[in-house]
Structures are given as structure tokens and as C-alpha cells.
Amino acid sequence: MQVAVVTFDGFNELDSFIASALINRCRKDGLEAFITTPTPMVTSMNGVDVTGQRPMEFVTEADVVLIGSGVKAREVIADDRLVSRLRLDPSRQLIGSQCSGALVLARLGLLDGMPACTDTKSRPFVEARDVTVLDAPFHAEGNIATAGGCLASQYLATWVITKTLGEDAARGVLDYVAPVGENRATVERALRAVSTGQAALH
């Protein structure tokens, strides 16, 4: 199973790297994430240059597509050519967004009739696209999920791992990366956020 972590120019490092790093701890179980970029190299919001591992077209074959956030999200959704490269299929793919990535899902019509989570700076722009924004870090309906707040990227990764490999796999990853002495609290918080986010509004 392959995961495309879509990473645009001006990306937020926490959003792309936390999700990909957590998911890649499951490589031995057949789940692998790749930084997927529209150009061979992208530069983060803090000036970190990153070489993409997969081109944007990889999103069509990936089993999971996570849309990262960044300071140029509004430029991304205004670029019809770039948006046209994001050919996603929620009937066969798990699709998630992080913070301003919700703008991309909204632009693609994937949030029609569905509330979303995003960060506080992106909220008014997401709401301007007629999407209800929740005061919550994570929400999912079916194969589509949104997360709000940089550190909520761990919840997005937890959702992916749980949906593809099961809760035990997610517990193992979270327990390994948790701050020492906070293992149980970290694991339970993440699993609770995902569980609550999937149960909300149902």
C-alpha cells in the first residue's frame, strides 16, 4: 500500500514530515509513504529545500493521498493546471488533508456536504468555500478525513494506519514515538481523537 503525501512549494514541514515519518514506520507491514511534489524540488515555508520522492502523477496510483498544507495553498487552488493533476478517487482511495490542505479538497469538490477541520488562519478561506469548519483537530467521513493544527498530523497518520493495518499497528507506532513517560497518554489521545472524529455528526 502506497501513500502520497502531497507537498507543495511553501509547505509546512511539520505537516508533511510527521505524517510521512509515522506512516513509514509501517514499511515492514507493507505501508509506505512518499513525499509527492508538483516539481522535482520544493521549498518549505522556512526555506528547507526538499527533493520529491514521487511526481504529482503518483496520486492516481496511490492507495492513500494526504494533502499537506503550506503558505501558498490559495495559490495552489487558483492554478487550474496544478489542480487538474490531482485526479483523486474517494471510492478507492483514502484521502486526507492537513490544515490548509482542506482548501484543496474543497476545490476538488470532495468536501461537498461534509464539515472539515483546518487551522485558524485557513479557517475563513475554507468557510468562504461553503464548508463548515469544526472546532476539532480531526474529522473523517468514509474515506475522507481532515485535520487541523500542525500537530494534528499525527492523527491523520493514525487514521491512515488504523484504516489500512488496524489499531494494533497504530498503537505500536505511537508508542514508539511518544515522549518518554507519556506513552500511554499519547497513544490513547491519538486513538481517541480519531475515534471521536469518525463518530462525530453520525
Side-chain angles (χ1 to χ4, degrees), residues 8 27 33 49 71 81 98-99 109 120 134 144 159 170 179 181 186 202:
F8 300 107
R27 275 192 294 234
D49 293 329
V71 295
R81 182 177 295 182
Q98 179 66 43
C99 293
T120 54
L134 303 172
I144 298 177
W159 175 72
T186 300
H202 286 274

Side-chain angles (χ1 to χ4, degrees), residues 3 13 19 26 40-41 46 67 103 106 110 142 153 157 183 186 189 202:
V3 182
E13 302 95 334
C26 298
M41 181 176 285
N46 293 307
I67 309 292
L103 284 170
L110 295 174
S153 50
N183 301 69
T186 300
R189 182 175 61 251
H202 286 274

Side-chain angles (χ1 to χ4, degrees), residues 17-151:
F17 294 154
I18 290 176
S20 61
L22 293 180
I23 290 168
N24 277 330
R25 289 191 174 278
C26 298
R27 275 192 294 234
K28 68 182 187 305
D29 297 314
L31 183 65
E32 188 168 9
F34 300 91
I35 298 296
T36 302
T37 56
T39 53
M41 181 176 285
V42 291
T43 302
S44 78
M45 61 190 293
N46 293 307
V48 179
D49 293 329
V50 172
T51 301
Q53 296 173 291
R54 294 289 186 275
M56 190 64 79
E57 287 65 31
F58 175 63
V59 300
T60 61
E61 61 184 87
D63 303 286
V64 182
V65 179
L66 301 181
I67 309 292
S69 74
V71 295
K72 297 184 179 180
R74 283 182 286 160
E75 294 175 33
V76 168
I77 63 172
D79 186 334
D80 292 339
R81 182 177 295 182
L82 181 52
V83 171
S84 71
R85 297 170 70 185
L86 291 165
R87 297 176 183 171
L88 309 185
D89 183 359
S91 70
R92 67 171 185 83
Q93 294 174 307
L94 294 179
I95 301 170
S97 70
Q98 179 66 43
C99 293
S100 62
L103 284 170
V104 179
L105 295 194
R107 173 72 166 76
L108 294 171
L110 295 174
L111 297 180
D112 290 351
M114 175 181 167
C117 299
T118 191
D119 62 284
T120 54
K121 286 189 175 181
S122 300
R123 180 171 187 152
F125 302 107
V126 175
E127 290 177 332
R129 301 193 72 89
D130 295 323
V131 176
T132 299
V133 174
L134 303 172
D135 288 316
F138 178 85
H139 179 72
E141 292 185 20
N143 285 346
I144 298 177
T146 57
C150 299
L151 294 181

Side-chain angles (χ1 to χ4, degrees), residues 179-196:
V180 173
E182 298 180 1
N183 301 69
R184 181 173 180 179
T186 300
V187 171
E188 295 306 323
R189 182 175 61 251
L191 291 174
R192 183 170 59 250
V194 170
S195 176
T196 301

